[in-house]
Amino acid sequence: MQIKLSVNIGRLKLKNPVMVASGTFGYAREFTDFFNPKELGAIVTKTITLKPRQGNPAPRTCETPAGLLNSIGLENPGLEVFIREKLPLLKKMGAPIIISIASEDDPEEFIKLAGRLDKIKEIAAIELNISCPNIQGRAHLISQDPEATYLAVNKVRRVTQKVIITKLSPNVTDIAEIAQAAEKAGTDAVALINTITGMSIDVKTRKPRIASVTGGLSGPAVRPVAVRMVRDVYKKIKIPIIGMGGIIDASSALEFIIAGAAAVSVGTANFINPKASVDIIKGIKDYLLKNKIKDINSLIGTLKA
Amino acid sequence: MLQIKTKITYNKKIKGSYFRIALKAPGIAVKALPGQFINIKVSDSCEPLLRRPFGVHRVKKDDIEALYEVVGPATQILSQRKPGEYLDVIGPLGNGFTPVIKNKPLNILIAGGMGVAPLVFLAEKLKKSKNVVLIGAKTKEQIMCEKEFKDLGCEVKVATDDGSTGFKGYVSGFLEEVLSGAHYPKSVVYACGPRPMLKEISRISKKYNISAQVSLEEHMACGVGACLGCVTNTRSGFKRVCKEGPVFNGDEIIW
C-alpha cells in the first residue's frame, strides 16, 4: 500500500510530519554523524537573536523524573554570524530549514530579524519564539498576552512573505486564546508547547539545581500537558498545529496527531537518541500501514471522544 | 562519533561501590583517545531519561572500559546490568588530553577520586615517558588503580584527606609539596577530578610555570554539542565541556 506522509504547514509542504524542535538540534552539524538530516520533515534551528547572546551561567540543565529542566538562555552567535557561519551548512542539509527567532528587549527586533531572513530564498519558514522562559529580567513573555502576541505576529507578517510559525508557551491560563490571537494576526501555523517553567532543589545544599533557579521543563514528563493543549487549540483554530512536548517514539508522536497536530517536533529525545526523529518517521509509517490508513492527513484530529 | 548497541563483556565490582565495565565496541575502541568519553544509556526506560557520560578508562582490543562509582539511580542500574546484555553507547566524544612526548618531559598525572579513570588510559599512551601519578581520595579504601599505574611503570604517590595512607591532605597540596621539593622544569600536568581540585592544580602549575591539562566535569544533556547545557566560562567565552572539552588548558578556564 502506498502511504502518503506529506503534510502542509501553510504553503510549506513537508515530505513527512516529523521535524526537530528548536534548541535540540543545534544548527544540524552535531547530528550528521548519526543520520542524514534530509530524511526529516523539517529542521528548526536553535533560536537566533539580533545580537549575539552568551546565555545563562552553568549549571544549565538537570534531570528530573522523566524530564529535563534547562535554562540555556538563548545562547546564539547573533543574526549576522549565523548567516555567515551556520546557514551555509544548513542549506546543504536537503530538508526545509525553519529559522527560530526571538527578540530580547524590544519586539521591534522581530522586524529586523524577519526582514533580513525574508531575503534568503533557502529559508522555508520563520518560527517566532515568543515563549522562551529563560530570558532573565523579563517578567512576562509575549505569548502570555493575547494582545502582545497579536502585535508581534502582525509586525512580522507585514515584513515577510515566508511561512510564519508562532511558538506558544504553556505557562498561561488559556493557550487557545493566545493561539487565536496569533491566527488573527496572520501566522500560518502555531507550534506548541514550549517548555513549562519549573525548578528543582538539591536538598543537601538547599540550592537550586540550575544556576538560573528556574528553567523550562521538557521530556516525557510534560507530554500529557502538551497533548491536552494541542487538543484545546485544535478546537479553536483553523490553521495547522505543530505539536511537541515529550515525544520520544512513534506512539507519542501519534498522540499529538490524533489530538489535532498536523506535524510534530522531536525535542529532548534528540539528546537521548540522536536518531529518534528518523525512528519516529518509520514508526508512524508502520502504524499507518498496520491500520490501513493511506494518508496521514486523514488521521489528524481523529480523537474518539 | 558512533552510536552502537554494545554487548557487555563484563561488569564487575572492584571494591566498595566501585565497578569496572567492559563493552564490545570495536568502532569506538579504535578511535578513542585518552580524556575522551562515552555516553551510555543505562536502561531502555525513561528512568533515568538521559545518558550518562564516562571517561574512557582503558581500551583492550575491541573493548572499551569504564570505571564508575555507584552514586545514584543511574549508576545503580548500570551496576545491575549483566554480561551479554546490550547497552546503547555513543562515542568517542569530546577533546581529550594532548600527550606531550617531545623533549621527554616528566608527566605528572593527578587524579582526585574517580578522576583516576581516564588517567589510566593516558598512562598507557605515555608508557615510554617518565610518569609520576598522584592519586588523591578521602580514605585509603577509596584509592583506586594504584596497581594499574605501577604496572604501567609509573611512580605512584597517594594522598588521603584523613591521612589513612600516604600524604595527609588534598592532592593539590601534595602537588605543591612535590613541586617545591624538586626542580621539574620540563613537566606537564594532566589532571582529572572535582572542579575545586582542578582550580588549585591550575593555580599551582602556573606558579611553577608548568602547563596543566585539566579534564572538567559538568552536567550534560546530549554530550554531542547540541544542547549547550554543559558550558564552562573561559577566557574566550562559554565553551561546551562535551565538545571543546572535557580537557582544557587550566589557564584558559575562568574558575
Side-chain angles (χ1 to χ4, degrees):
Chain A
M1 189 168 72
Q2 197 70 20
I3 298 285
K4 187 184 172 221
L5 276 180
S6 65
V7 296
N8 292 312
I9 303 297
R11 284 170 288 110
L12 175 62
K13 186 175 176 173
L14 308 181
K15 67 174 172 287
N16 66 62
V18 180
M19 347 199 300
V20 283
S22 179
T24 66
F25 206 69
Y27 303 109
R29 167 72 199 89
E30 289 77 12
F31 289 82
T32 51
D33 278 5
F34 303 106
F35 71 97
N36 189 341
K38 83 170 184 200
E39 293 178 52
L40 295 167
I43 296 169
V44 187
T45 65
K46 172 81 182 158
T47 297
I48 302 298
T49 50
L50 203 53
K51 290 180 205 140
R53 276 181 67 88
Q54 196 185 243
N56 293 338
R60 289 174 167 185
T61 65
C62 76
E63 185 171 332
T64 57
L68 172 66
L69 195 63
N70 90 80
S71 180
I72 308 297
L74 296 187
E75 178 178 337
N76 80 91
L79 178 67
E80 291 309 322
V81 173
F82 166 76
I83 290 173
R84 211 168 48 237
E85 291 175 15
K86 310 288 181 188
L87 192 59
L89 184 80
L90 273 166
K91 285 177 180 174
K92 289 182 197 151
M93 290 295 156
I97 302 300
I98 300 171
I99 311 294
S100 169
I101 58 173
S103 63
E104 291 181 276
D105 309 312
D106 181 357
E108 297 293 317
E109 290 163 16
F110 271 123
I111 298 175
K112 290 180 186 154
L113 284 156
R116 177 85 166 88
L117 296 172
D118 183 65
K119 297 179 184 72
I120 302 171
K121 73 172 191 317
E122 292 90 347
I123 293 172
I126 293 171
E127 179 171 281
L128 306 184
N129 181 0
I130 55 171
S131 49
C132 174
N134 297 325
I135 300 188
Q136 280 170 355
R138 189 180 267 184
H140 296 287
L141 309 173
I142 295 171
S143 67
Q144 283 172 325
D145 175 37
E147 202 168 319
T149 299
Y150 179 88
L151 290 172
V153 174
N154 193 252
K155 273 181 189 144
V156 175
R157 182 73 290 167
R158 286 159 190 261
V159 297
T160 183
Q161 297 298 309
K162 302 261 187 217
V163 168
I164 299 174
I165 298 162
T166 305
K167 186 153 179 185
L168 305 181
S169 171
N171 305 303
V172 292
T173 308
D174 180 7
I175 195 167
E177 185 190 13
I178 312 290
Q180 286 173 306
E183 182 181 38
K184 201 172 140 201
T187 193
D188 294 283
V190 288
L192 58 132
I193 59 173
N194 206 320
T195 53
I196 302 176
T197 49
M199 64 184 283
S200 179
I201 299 168
D202 180 336
V203 296
K204 270 189 227 149
T205 60
R206 291 196 225 168
K207 286 182 177 173
R209 290 172 68 208
I210 54 176
S212 312
V213 184
T214 63
L217 183 66
S218 63
V222 310
R223 192 192 308 143
V225 177
V227 172
R228 190 274 290 175
M229 288 189 167
V230 166
R231 173 72 177 156
D232 283 356
V233 170
Y234 182 70
K235 287 195 264 187
K236 296 282 178 62
I237 65 171
K238 299 273 184 291
I239 53 174
I241 298 166
I242 298 159
M244 71 197 78
I247 294 175
I248 56 162
D249 52 20
S251 163
S252 44
L254 288 159
E255 278 195 63
F256 283 86
I257 293 169
I258 294 164
V264 294
S265 269
V266 179
T268 304
N270 297 321
F271 298 154
I272 302 155
N273 172 15
K275 293 195 286 272
S277 50
V278 284
D279 290 349
I280 290 168
I281 296 167
K282 188 181 174 300
I284 291 175
K285 203 171 175 183
D286 291 346
Y287 173 90
L288 296 178
L289 267 170
K290 198 177 160 203
N291 291 280
K292 300 189 171 60
I293 299 166
K294 282 184 188 160
D295 183 352
I296 182 86
N297 289 280
S298 63
L299 187 68
I300 298 168
T302 54
L303 180 74
K304 294 176 181 172
Chain B
M1 290 184 281
L2 292 169
Q3 184 181 6
I4 310 177
K5 294 264 183 223
T6 62
K7 195 175 191 173
I8 301 173
T9 306
Y10 69 80
N11 188 18
K12 282 187 220 153
K13 182 188 268 197
I14 304 171
K15 61 175 175 181
S17 51
Y18 300 99
F19 286 74
R20 184 182 278 126
I21 189 167
L23 303 161
K24 192 154 284 303
I28 296 175
V30 72
K31 284 187 185 166
L33 297 169
Q36 288 191 303
F37 66 98
I38 53 172
N39 219 353
I40 304 180
K41 184 80 175 89
V42 300
S43 78
D44 294 330
S45 78
C46 291
E47 284 299 332
L49 184 66
L50 302 173
R51 289 169 186 270
R52 292 294 186 271
F54 299 88
V56 176
H57 169 50
R58 287 191 305 205
V59 171
K60 302 260 169 189
K61 290 185 183 161
D62 287 350
D63 280 12
I64 40 168
E65 296 183 359
L67 187 71
Y68 63 97
E69 183 182 3
V70 174
V71 290
T75 41
Q76 176 65 38
I77 291 168
L78 184 62
S79 72
Q80 307 292 318
R81 302 300 302 261
K82 301 278 182 286
E85 291 180 359
Y86 285 83
L87 289 174
D88 188 324
V89 175
I90 296 177
L93 297 166
N95 273 315
F97 292 105
T98 308
V100 181
I101 293 158
K102 208 179 155 193
N103 298 329
K104 296 214 169 91
L106 171 73
N107 299 302
I108 306 175
L109 283 61
I110 308 165
M114 287 310 296
V116 291
L119 296 182
V120 172
F121 191 21
L122 178 67
E124 281 177 6
K125 297 277 174 179
L126 292 170
K127 216 154 61 178
K128 287 180 186 152
S129 314
K130 184 167 164 44
N131 306 318
V132 176
V133 181
L134 312 184
I135 307 174
K138 284 189 186 122
T139 66
K140 187 181 174 183
E141 286 69 40
Q142 286 156 307
I143 295 285
M144 300 284 293
C145 299
E146 210 178 336
K147 183 176 183 301
E148 282 82 351
F149 285 118
K150 281 181 179 161
D151 288 348
L152 289 164
C154 304
E155 182 188 343
V156 181
K157 296 164 187 264
V158 297
T160 49
D161 297 1
D162 67 353
S164 49
T165 184
F167 175 87
K168 184 176 191 298
Y170 288 149
V171 74
S172 48
F174 191 27
L175 172 68
E176 176 101 52
E177 198 186 84
V178 169
L179 291 176
S180 61
H183 191 51
Y184 293 113
K186 289 194 298 181
S187 302
V188 180
V189 161
Y190 307 86
C192 184
R195 195 175 171 98
M197 171 197 128
L198 298 178
K199 179 183 176 179
E200 269 301 284
I201 300 283
S202 298
R203 186 187 64 79
I204 295 161
S205 300
K206 196 177 166 73
K207 184 174 151 190
Y208 290 90
N209 210 12
I210 291 170
S211 89
Q213 298 180 28
V214 298
S215 180
L216 298 188
E217 222 181 23
E218 187 55 71
H219 284 282
M220 288 178 189
C222 73
V224 299
C227 73
L228 312 181
C230 64
V231 295
T232 192
N233 209 359
T234 74
R235 299 199 186 280
S236 41
F238 279 131
K239 286 197 173 166
R240 299 167 293 185
V241 171
C242 74
K243 199 80 184 176
E244 283 81 36
V247 178
F248 293 92
N249 191 310
D251 253 2
E252 205 189 332
I253 304 296
I254 297 170
W255 300 97

